[in-house]
Amino acid sequence: MNRVKVRDLQQTITKAKEGVETKKLSVLPVLQMLLIVTERENLSVTGTDLNVFVTSSCPALSTERLAWAAPCKELERVANAFPKDAEVALSVEEDRLTLHCGRKEFRLSGIPGRDFPVAPEVDLDAPAARVSAQGLLDVLESTTWAASMDDLRPALNAARFTGTQVICGNGNVAALAKFETPALPDSLLPLSVMRALPKLLDREEPSILRIDKKGAVLIQQERLSVVCRRVEGAAPVYDRIVPALPLD
């Protein structure tokens, strides 16, 4: 049996669902699910649209390993039905995820965790930058508005981290802000991920930004990890439209 505080479960679901496919009804039902894993006094919840994997975790009393994927909307509805200050017990019985709290019990259908998509592996020995979450969010807020919203133009539908700046542009206008990440390679990061970060990051907690040689990207805090791939292709040349002015 695995037990976790309802408030913690609700918070992990709220963050993890940012990774779930929401733009359209997916042809893959698994992309409308959240993966729950319990082990080593920890509970994690993961959501994905195959482009980004968002995993949020919280403390739990775990007596056995559990790995089960359940529909996101149903799981969130059930978690919100419990008192926030109570504890909920989770188990898998007869191929269903069972959540029990007080006199309430719900059983959700789903799939075993082994059938849930696997996030890209990130080389943890790759160079990393320790950054202020608040600073990163401020820079993204001041630049991402200029990026293209056209998914068919991935190089413009991205934020470019150069090592000294973050630049976004749509071909007609560009915005840039100073942001020192000298350890990281010059990379284009998906705009959809950058725009989701304000809902995910704890502004008071430092963040680790890591990009490996294979293009896997990891944005990490103590109980949050966001994994995606950098945008491949040549970065747009902004020198012709951005004046050579000091950023200080």
Side-chain angles (χ1 to χ4, degrees):
M1 185 69 69
N2 303 282
R3 305 186 70 86
V4 63
K5 291 183 178 179
V6 172
R7 186 186 306 274
D8 290 343
L9 178 61
Q10 292 172 343
Q11 291 175 347
T12 56
I13 290 174
T14 297
K15 289 191 174 184
K17 74 176 185 178
E18 290 299 317
V20 174
E21 174 63 71
T22 57
K23 291 184 179 179
K24 55 183 179 297
L25 182 62
S26 174
V27 296
L28 297 175
V30 69
L31 300 186
Q32 301 291 325
M33 293 184 172
L34 292 175
L35 172 66
I36 294 181
V37 176
T38 61
E39 58 182 348
R40 299 178 183 177
E41 299 184 350
N42 184 76
L43 178 144
S44 66
V45 182
T46 301
T48 182
D49 62 359
L50 296 183
N51 293 313
V52 59
F53 290 74
V54 178
T55 300
S56 180
S57 65
C58 65
L61 177 60
S62 178
T63 58
E64 59 183 4
R65 189 177 190 280
L66 180 153
W68 192 260
C72 175
K73 290 183 178 180
E74 284 77 359
L75 183 59
E76 183 177 30
R77 176 178 57 82
V78 168
N80 290 336
F82 298 136
K84 289 186 177 182
D85 296 328
E87 281 191 340
V88 57
L90 299 92
S91 61
V92 175
E93 302 173 6
E94 300 178 353
D95 291 335
R96 290 181 180 273
L97 175 66
T98 300
L99 297 95
H100 182 87
C101 179
R103 296 183 179 182
K104 296 182 179 180
E105 181 175 288
F106 296 87
R107 294 189 175 187
L108 302 179
S109 59
I111 60 174
R114 63 177 178 272
D115 296 330
F116 195 80
V118 179
E121 291 188 8
V122 182
D123 181 3
L124 298 182
D125 293 326
R130 186 179 180 88
V131 301
S132 160
Q134 183 64 62
L136 174 60
L137 295 178
D138 288 345
V139 165
L140 292 176
E141 181 180 2
S142 65
T143 57
T144 53
W145 62 269
S148 171
M149 298 301 294
D150 187 352
D151 293 339
L152 299 179
R153 306 172 73 189
L156 298 179
N157 188 234
R160 181 185 175 190
F161 285 70
T162 69
T164 58
Q165 302 171 350
V166 173
I167 309 174
C168 295
N170 60 18
N172 297 309
V173 63
L176 71 162
K178 186 175 181 179
F179 193 67
E180 298 286 346
T181 53
L184 301 182
D186 191 332
S187 301
L188 291 169
L189 303 189
L191 185 66
S192 59
V193 177
M194 298 299 100
R195 286 187 165 166
L197 291 181
K199 297 180 181 179
L200 297 172
L201 295 182
D202 183 339
R203 295 173 181 267
E204 304 300 323
E205 184 181 335
S207 301
I208 302 295
L209 179 58
R210 192 184 306 271
I211 305 173
D212 68 16
K213 293 181 179 179
K214 295 182 179 180
V217 179
L218 172 64
I219 303 170
Q220 189 175 30
Q221 290 189 323
E222 182 178 2
R223 291 200 168 274
L224 174 76
S225 68
V226 181
V227 178
C228 63
R229 289 198 175 278
R230 67 183 178 189
V231 177
E232 299 298 336
V237 178
Y238 294 104
D239 295 346
R240 297 177 182 175
I241 58 176
V242 177
L245 297 176
L247 295 178
D248 294 332

